[in-house]
Amino acid sequence: MPHFTVTKVEDPEEGAAASISQEPSLADIKARIQDSDEPDLSQNSITGEHSQLLDDGHKKARNAYLNNSNYEEGDEYFDKNLALFEEEMDTRPKVSSLLNRMANYTNLTQGAKEHEEAENITEGKKKPTKTMLTAISMSAIATNGVVPAGGSYFMISRALGPEFGGAVGLCFYLGTTFAAAMYILGAIEIFLVYIVPRAAIFHSDDALKESAAMLNNMRVYGTAFLVLMVLVVFIGVRYVNKFASLFLACVIVSILAIYAGAIKSSFAPPHFPVCMLGNRTLSSRHIDVCSKTKEINNMTVPSKLWGFFCNSSQFFNATCDEYFVHNNVTSIQGIPGLASGIITENLWSNYLPKGEIIEKPSAKSSDVLGSLNHEYVLVDITTSFTLLVGIFFPSVTGIMAGSNRSGDLKDAQKSIPIGTILAILTTSFVYLSNVVLFGACIEGVVLRDKFGDAVKGNLVVGTLSWPSPWVIVIGSFFSTCGAGLQSLTGAPRLLQAIAKDNIIPFLRVFGHSKANGEPTWALLLTAAIAELGILIASLDLVAPILSMFFLMCYLFVNLACALQTLLRTPNWRPRFRYYHWALSFMGMSICLALMFISSWYYAIVAMVIAGMIYKYIEYQGAEKEWGDGIRGLSLSAARFALLRLEEGPPHTKNWRPQLLVLLKLDEDLHVKHPRLLTFASQLKAGKGLTIVGSVIVGNFLENYGEALAAEQTIKHLMEAEKVKGFCQLVVAAKLREGISHLIQSCGLGGMKHNTVVMGWPNGWRQSEDARAWKTFIGTVRVTTAAHLALLVAKNISFFPSNVEQFSEGNIDVWWIVHDGGMLMLLPFLLKQHKVWRKCSIRIFTVAQLEDNSIQMKKDLATFLYHLRIEAEVEVVEMHDSDISAYTYERTLMMEQRSQMLRHMRLSKTERDREAQLVKDRNSMLRLTSIGSDEDEETETYQEKVHMTWTKDKYMASRGQKAKSMEGFQDLLNMRPDQSNVRRMHTAVKLNEVIVNKSHEAKLVLLNMPGPPRNPEGDENYMEFLEVLTEGLERVLLVRGGGSEVITIYS
């Protein structure tokens, strides 16, 4: 709960220099209202609130809102302690009049509840596959302009920006490089297992160490193969193309051999027996015959199979496995042929858990469980559709091989779409047709036997093919070699393209190449990374993340195409017409789904790696402007958001100060008060809109360069002060017009400023030039007319910097009149910043003679509780007292000074000379800062200057001097205006109370009275504000914009 104290303030001043007559009658006040020519209050946004507050029981409060600016001597205004605010009491009622109703917050204009009701009324009036899809997207991007070296990286980076392009491109490079290592290891495995098993260097008789010896052989031969392939790539890409033709011929022959073998199997299937026990598949690696017994010398003896299932391998009366006893051992054809109809059994899926025995469903079997024997062929891993997708996916990762070598293509725009789409169509037909042929020719138990245990490790596809299994072995070997060469060719070029763009500084050296354009350094790095993969030898743990890199690349290719299509950028004119954004989004969705279906944790690892690269590039500041789609997307999103903001005024709950900070520039284009930006950054904390504006007086055509230089100066200062916002400089012929233009036109649509921040014109009293404070008051009037809030920082040089932190202290709020809640909201926002976080908020409000201080305390406690603002509250009682002699004398001095300045005029000669000097100065470029207007006052004359004295001029000069002497004589006999006396009384009394309570406060927030309606009192207005804030180190004068800015609703 807030803490409250009620303090009575006695008037220490004795003796009054003037007496005030009795209070006017209610009838007189009503008559004065009727005779008033003030504007209709019903047009003001606060009037609705005012009419709700003023009922029959608050007649006296209603009179307090009267606007009475012309007082004759002897009149008295009964609220003389607040006379400084009297001209705006109709729109900004005093706090004590509202506090009892404001505690429930049901009567404030455009508060949360009323805003929602208004909104409701307004609303009532208102009325192929992944690879093919990726290839289509890639074709559209590839035909939208020249595609130099870099392929997929170039497409993504130019479409989505350097951050996305660099992150995905580098991941794709790593995936391609490790894929080269995988292809080489695959070639070595085929070489050592099927082609030349005797070539193995390391051997082991121990079955447990056999796999380790095999890995060592693969490391040695893999390194040799890698060196040989790197040499081929180093010599030149043309030799790679020649080898590619040879490898392609071998692959085509292998594919044709499979088709020929499938056709031959329909009438002459190969002999490929599989041993079965009942419907269970047996391993043929350790058995001699596929039967329980065998004939030796006309004697029937148990076979090896008998010994595996019985406790004795010599006697028929031994105890055997129950399933072995009740089922027969049979031999079936592993490849029954195309005409066997086996496809009907293999058509449907049959996923098995790990450790399950592979069985033939159609075979006869006794319903006996039996024991699990190691001679059965078991499933080594739990199978599922996602697992099959992960196994099949590497076979389709080659669709980017052509685009990776885009720099070597004669016409990449033509070759990439045609070559990629035809390659996908061809390979898809081969893959799908082979799947169908295998299912129609080969037994299901053989297809599910991963290691070929049932067929003694023979190559099933080789057995099916015609004329010889060697065709498949040689074709597979050359196919993996060719894929490795393609990867070693494309990966260095991809790295070179990334390095040349200079988005990752430490990769810059890999952008160099030989005279013929071959990326030598990039090839060496690629070979080193591939060697790491070969030394690992077993890439079972690395392979899934490589698939993630490929999928991520495909995902962003689809995203790039979809984004460019939806944004409809003028430069998006691909020659390839058969694309659509929906297809790209479908391909992107499939890629994302496959990433998480295959392995969600590897997908997260791949995304984290790409994210780290993205943030690194962003941190290094990749200042590349490629017209990418992300920038276009930002523009479209900004346009959409601005149009949404135009639908209605901001809700009270969403209101925050959107600042227009008016800065002063000196003659050297330097900011005069940089702490004003510091205060803005502390108030905003990086949230919302901040516009920093300034005015240069002159001609735009002549001062355009100076305006750009000043804008850069302000932007550098904004960056130093960590102000996130925009800079707006205006070149105008007159300073006040420039300020008015800034206040009227800054912002766009719904993103416009609602608060103006400016500094107090220090030293205005000592300045002989009245233009400084006149420009200040003009800015206040323009801000008020625009219904904007105004924050005026006095003694801004004493405000803390961002590195200073107050360990203790108070932020004092003096709430005199209701301003929509600005005084409540501002200290809360300041406390969000580290500089003000440890300060406490104290709220002071003023109670008059007729106010109930106890009730005000209760109402303010309820109000602050609902606002969720922790603050210490103090109600200060200001009783009516006579106007002191000090106040009277202070007012007299103020008016005498003003009168003296009006009477003091230069002689005609001096005036002409001054005009000549002004003319000479204006012939040179001169910048004027906010707070000083040079061309609107009486010192500038338009008539022609004559430097010759005449008799008439001499007599006129003497008459002017005589008139000035009469004016000085009148100063000694003048009496101060009573309305000014009352205002000065308010300023003196309030200043006395504020200094007494807040002289040690870190910041004092105070209601700023509005400027007088009569411009003749402008100088007195400045004096009143000066007296009101005397003796305070840091002051923020706050003037609300006429709308509620804080609410109790959630």
Side-chain angles (χ1 to χ4, degrees):
M1 285 293 293
H3 306 286
F4 302 90
T5 59
V6 179
T7 305
K8 181 176 181 181
V9 179
E10 299 292 345
D11 190 0
E13 303 169 348
E14 297 181 358
S19 61
I20 307 302
S21 63
Q22 297 295 321
E23 175 181 339
S25 65
L26 184 61
D28 293 336
I29 297 176
K30 289 183 177 178
R32 198 173 295 153
I33 295 175
Q34 294 173 358
D35 295 337
S36 173
D37 57 353
E38 292 298 321
D40 186 6
L41 298 180
S42 62
Q43 297 178 5
N44 194 288
S45 62
I46 307 296
T47 307
E49 174 188 30
H50 173 67
S51 61
Q52 292 177 15
L53 293 173
L54 302 181
D55 52 21
D56 295 336
H58 292 78
K59 298 296 184 182
K60 190 169 184 180
R62 183 166 188 160
N63 293 334
Y65 304 154
L66 298 181
N67 195 356
N68 214 342
S69 57
N70 299 320
Y71 293 92
E72 297 179 358
E73 185 177 355
D75 290 348
E76 178 181 350
Y77 192 76
F78 73 90
D79 246 343
K80 61 188 176 184
N81 286 328
L82 299 181
L84 190 57
F85 300 90
E86 65 189 17
E87 285 197 351
E88 50 187 1
M89 279 294 187
D90 49 356
T91 59
R92 301 171 191 270
K94 62 181 182 178
V95 173
S96 59
S97 302
L98 292 181
L99 211 46
N100 59 333
R101 291 173 177 267
M102 199 161 23
N104 294 325
Y105 221 69
T106 58
N107 62 335
L108 297 182
T109 305
Q110 281 301 304
K113 187 175 181 179
E114 289 75 8
H115 191 104
E116 289 168 3
E117 290 175 356
E119 291 255 330
N120 293 334
I121 294 173
T122 307
E123 288 176 5
K125 297 180 181 178
K126 293 181 180 179
K127 308 281 170 189
T129 63
K130 169 187 63 60
T131 53
M132 180 57 72
L133 296 176
T134 304
I136 292 173
S137 301
M138 184 176 65
S139 301
I141 299 174
T143 57
N144 188 55
V146 178
V147 181
S152 56
Y153 158 73
F154 182 87
M155 300 176 194
I156 295 173
S157 61
R158 267 53 177 185
L160 298 180
E163 293 86 1
F164 281 107
V168 178
L170 206 55
C171 289
F172 187 63
Y173 163 75
L174 293 175
T176 305
T177 304
F178 275 100
M182 287 203 314
Y183 293 137
I184 292 174
L185 290 175
I188 298 304
E189 185 175 2
I190 294 173
F191 177 77
L192 293 178
V193 174
Y194 297 107
I195 299 179
V196 189
R198 298 178 182 176
I201 301 174
F202 302 96
H203 301 275
S204 177
D205 297 331
D206 189 350
L208 297 176
K209 296 181 180 179
E210 183 179 354
S211 59
M214 184 62 180
L215 291 178
N216 289 330
N217 288 320
M218 295 179 70
R219 290 185 181 102
V220 174
Y221 281 100
T223 301
F225 267 62
L226 176 63
V227 171
L228 182 62
M229 289 184 178
V230 167
L231 288 176
V232 173
V233 176
F234 180 78
I235 292 173
V237 70
R238 57 180 180 176
Y239 294 100
V240 176
N241 295 335
K242 291 180 180 180
F243 279 108
S245 301
L246 174 63
F247 297 155
L248 177 62
C250 296
V251 171
I252 291 176
V253 171
S254 300
I255 293 172
L256 293 177
I258 294 175
Y259 288 121
I263 295 173
K264 179 178 178 293
S265 68
S266 60
F267 54 86
H271 180 67
F272 203 60
V274 176
C275 190
M276 306 288 295
L277 176 61
N279 64 348
R280 299 179 178 180
T281 309
L282 295 174
S283 174
S284 58
R285 292 185 181 272
H286 304 105
I287 59 177
D288 48 357
V289 293
C290 184
S291 63
K292 296 181 180 180
T293 59
K294 59 181 178 180
E295 294 287 336
I296 298 179
N297 299 325
N298 295 326
M299 293 182 61
T300 303
V301 297
S303 64
K304 287 186 178 180
L305 188 61
W306 182 280
F308 292 138
F309 287 91
C310 301
N311 59 4
S312 175
S313 59
Q314 302 296 328
F315 305 101
F316 287 107
N317 58 354
T319 304
C320 297
D321 179 74
E322 187 176 6
Y323 187 87
F324 181 77
V325 172
H326 290 84
N327 288 277
N328 295 325
V329 175
T330 58
S331 178
I332 63 173
Q333 187 64 274
I335 304 179
L338 195 61
S340 63
I342 195 66
I343 191 172
T344 57
E345 187 175 320
N346 294 333
L347 189 61
W348 310 109
S349 61
N350 184 18
Y351 302 117
L352 301 175
K354 180 179 180 180
E356 189 79 8
I357 301 174
I358 298 178
E359 300 178 346
K360 180 177 173 60
S362 60
K364 294 182 179 181
S365 174
S366 299
D367 192 13
V368 179
L369 184 59
S371 60
L372 189 64
N373 194 288
H374 66 276
E375 289 303 315
Y376 291 127
V377 179
L378 306 178
V379 178
D380 72 315
I381 189 172
T382 300
T383 55
S384 62
F385 175 75
T386 58
L387 179 70
L388 295 182
V389 170
I391 294 173
F392 177 74
F393 177 74
S395 64
V396 295
T397 56
I399 66 169
M400 293 290 184
S403 65
N404 287 345
R405 296 170 57 185
S406 55
D408 300 319
L409 299 175
K410 183 178 180 180
D411 187 357
Q413 295 186 56
K414 180 179 179 180
S415 302
I416 289 177
I418 296 177
T420 303
I421 292 177
L422 287 180
I424 290 176
L425 291 176
T426 303
T427 54
S428 297
F429 171 77
V430 172
Y431 290 150
L432 294 177
S433 60
N434 277 325
V435 168
V436 173
L437 288 177
F438 291 162
C441 297
I442 304 172
E443 273 286 349
V445 293
V446 178
L447 292 175
R448 294 182 180 88
D449 184 5
K450 178 178 178 181
F451 298 105
D453 292 330
V455 293
K456 297 183 179 179
N458 289 319
L459 195 61
V460 178
V461 181
T463 306
L464 175 65
S465 63
W466 182 85
S468 170
W470 283 100
V471 177
I472 300 299
V473 172
I474 299 299
S476 300
F477 177 77
F478 283 121
S479 175
T480 52
C481 290
L485 272 178
Q486 295 293 341
S487 297
L488 290 175
T489 303
R493 284 159 173 75
L494 184 59
L495 179 62
Q496 184 187 36
I498 298 173
K500 281 185 175 180
D501 281 337
N502 198 24
I503 60 175
I504 303 177
F506 66 84
L507 293 180
R508 194 175 307 162
V509 65
F510 299 106
H512 303 298
S513 58
K514 295 192 301 183
N516 59 356
E518 292 296 323
T520 308
W521 292 105
L523 177 61
L524 293 177
L525 179 63
T526 303
I529 297 175
E531 177 62 19
L532 291 178
I534 290 174
L535 293 178
I536 295 173
S538 178
L539 293 179
D540 292 340
L541 297 177
V542 181
I545 199 170
L546 305 184
S547 299
M548 298 303 158
F549 288 155
F550 284 114
L551 278 170
M552 194 181 300
C553 180
Y554 303 160
L555 185 151
F556 279 96
V557 168
N558 285 293
L559 176 61
C561 180
L563 195 62
Q564 298 276 37
T565 306
L566 289 176
L567 292 178
R568 298 180 180 178
T569 54
N571 192 53
W572 179 245
R573 303 184 301 273
R575 290 191 177 92
F576 185 81
R577 300 294 183 183
Y578 307 102
Y579 70 92
H580 194 270
W581 64 267
L583 296 177
S584 299
F585 265 116
M586 187 185 301
M588 183 181 68
S589 303
I590 293 174
C591 289
L592 187 62
L594 283 177
M595 288 178 68
F596 284 91
I597 287 174
S598 300
S599 177
W600 63 268
Y601 42 89
Y602 277 115
I604 293 176
V605 171
M607 289 182 175
V608 168
I609 294 175
M612 292 172 63
I613 299 173
Y614 178 95
K615 295 305 293 183
Y616 173 79
I617 297 174
E618 187 180 54
Y619 175 76
Q620 288 294 325
E623 297 179 358
K624 301 290 184 180
E625 180 52 62
W626 291 329
D628 52 85
I630 295 298
R631 185 174 180 84
L633 181 63
S634 300
L635 293 173
S636 297
R639 172 182 170 275
F640 175 78
L642 288 172
L643 291 176
R644 287 291 302 272
L645 290 175
E646 282 285 287
E647 295 179 359
H651 197 284
T652 306
K653 291 184 292 187
N654 296 329
W655 196 97
R656 66 168 62 246
Q658 316 287 8
L659 303 182
L660 170 60
V661 184
L662 298 179
L663 291 183
K664 298 179 182 180
L665 297 177
D666 57 20
E667 288 78 3
D668 297 325
L669 302 179
H670 294 147
V671 177
K672 196 171 183 180
H673 297 301
R675 285 293 170 89
L676 209 56
L677 278 180
T678 307
F679 174 72
S681 68
Q682 294 168 4
L683 182 63
K684 299 295 291 180
K687 302 294 191 302
L689 174 70
T690 301
I691 303 174
V692 181
S694 189
V695 178
I696 294 179
V697 175
N699 184 280
F700 179 75
L701 298 178
E702 298 174 358
N703 304 124
Y704 178 69
E706 287 77 7
L708 289 180
E711 184 176 353
Q712 290 301 318
T713 301
I714 294 177
K715 285 183 177 179
H716 288 285
L717 183 60
M718 291 173 63
E719 185 177 353
E721 296 294 340
K722 299 181 180 179
V723 176
K724 297 180 179 179
F726 308 96
C727 178
Q728 182 73 50
L729 240 74
V730 171
V731 180
K734 296 181 180 180
L735 180 65
R736 293 185 193 175
E737 290 183 1
I739 296 174
S740 179
H741 293 334
L742 281 175
I743 294 176
Q744 292 179 64
S745 60
C746 278
L748 180 63
M751 284 295 288
K752 293 181 69 68
H753 57 279
N754 54 30
T755 305
V756 176
V757 180
M758 62 186 303
W760 175 263
N762 296 319
W764 68 273
R765 283 173 173 167
Q766 292 75 25
S767 175
E768 297 180 359
D769 189 0
R771 290 178 288 243
W773 55 266
K774 283 186 175 293
T775 302
F776 172 80
I777 297 179
T779 305
V780 176
R781 285 197 172 100
V782 171
T783 304
T784 304
H787 298 288
L788 301 176
L790 177 64
L791 306 180
V792 178
K794 190 176 181 185
N795 301 328
I796 186 64
S797 58
F798 295 109
F799 277 56
S801 65
N802 284 326
V803 296
E804 301 178 38
Q805 295 187 29
F806 292 128
S807 58
E808 57 182 359
N810 297 315
I811 300 176
D812 286 358
V813 177
W814 284 86
W815 194 18
I816 311 299
V817 295
H818 178 58
D819 59 351
M822 281 286 291
L823 285 173
M824 303 291 111
L825 185 62
L826 290 177
F828 170 78
L829 294 177
L830 282 175
K831 277 178 62 67
Q832 308 305 308
H833 196 273
K834 62 181 180 180
V835 172
W836 305 92
R837 187 167 295 142
K838 295 183 180 180
C839 292
S840 302
I841 300 176
R842 297 194 303 181
I843 299 178
F844 296 87
T845 189
V846 176
Q848 301 296 311
L849 179 62
E850 72 277 5
D851 297 326
N852 187 340
S853 300
I854 304 300
Q855 187 61 39
M856 287 179 65
K857 177 177 66 175
K858 294 180 180 179
D859 294 341
L860 193 52
T862 305
F863 180 53
L864 289 176
Y865 174 78
H866 288 313
L867 287 179
R868 290 91 64 198
I869 293 178
E870 296 182 3
E872 180 183 348
V873 176
E874 191 167 336
V875 180
V876 179
E877 294 182 351
M878 294 183 64
H879 296 299
D880 288 340
S881 60
D882 292 333
I883 297 177
S884 66
Y886 170 78
T887 302
Y888 190 88
E889 293 296 333
R890 185 88 184 243
T891 308
L892 183 60
M893 290 173 60
M894 174 188 72
E895 293 190 354
Q896 286 177 344
R897 179 181 181 274
S898 178
Q899 192 71 13
M900 286 175 63
L901 291 175
R902 280 195 292 267
H903 285 303
M904 288 177 62
R905 294 292 183 266
L906 298 173
S907 65
K908 182 65 175 176
T909 304
E910 292 171 333
R911 192 182 308 159
D912 293 341
R913 290 174 181 172
E914 181 68 14
Q916 186 65 40
L917 291 175
V918 171
K919 183 178 179 181
D920 293 340
R921 285 198 302 267
N922 286 342
S923 64
M924 300 172 63
L925 173 62
R926 187 154 175 247
L927 300 177
T928 305
S929 62
I930 294 174
S932 175
D933 200 344
E934 293 188 352
D935 48 15
E936 295 186 3
E937 302 303 324
T938 58
E939 285 80 354
T940 304
Y941 290 87
Q942 301 297 328
E943 64 267 14
K944 187 176 180 181
V945 177
H946 295 280
M947 303 305 294
T948 304
W949 282 100
T950 64
K951 182 178 180 180
D952 294 337
K953 291 181 180 180
Y954 176 74
M955 296 302 295
S957 175
R958 289 191 60 182
Q960 182 71 24
K961 290 181 180 179
K963 187 176 180 181
S964 299
M965 294 302 296
E966 293 176 2
F968 287 123
Q969 187 67 29
D970 292 340
L971 289 176
L972 301 177
N973 302 323
M974 70 180 297
R975 296 181 62 188
D977 183 81
Q978 292 303 311
S979 62
N980 287 337
V981 173
R982 283 193 306 274
R983 288 176 170 84
M984 183 62 75
H985 178 72
T986 298
V988 171
K989 290 279 290 183
L990 280 176
N991 177 258
E992 176 190 336
V993 176
I994 294 173
V995 171
N996 183 39
K997 296 292 182 182
S998 303
H999 64 279
E1000 294 183 351
K1002 301 301 182 183
L1003 180 65
V1004 176
L1005 284 80
L1006 178 66
N1007 284 115
M1008 180 180 181
R1013 290 182 172 88
N1014 185 1
E1016 292 182 0
D1018 285 354
E1019 188 173 5
N1020 297 338
Y1021 171 72
M1022 295 294 293
E1023 187 68 29
F1024 293 144
L1025 293 182
E1026 204 57 86
V1027 172
L1028 185 63
T1029 56
E1030 277 182 349
L1032 299 173
E1033 184 180 9
R1034 303 182 190 92
V1035 182
L1036 185 65
L1037 296 173
V1038 180
R1039 184 167 172 79
S1043 61
E1044 294 299 326
V1045 301
I1046 195 168
T1047 177
I1048 64 174
Y1049 296 101
S1050 61

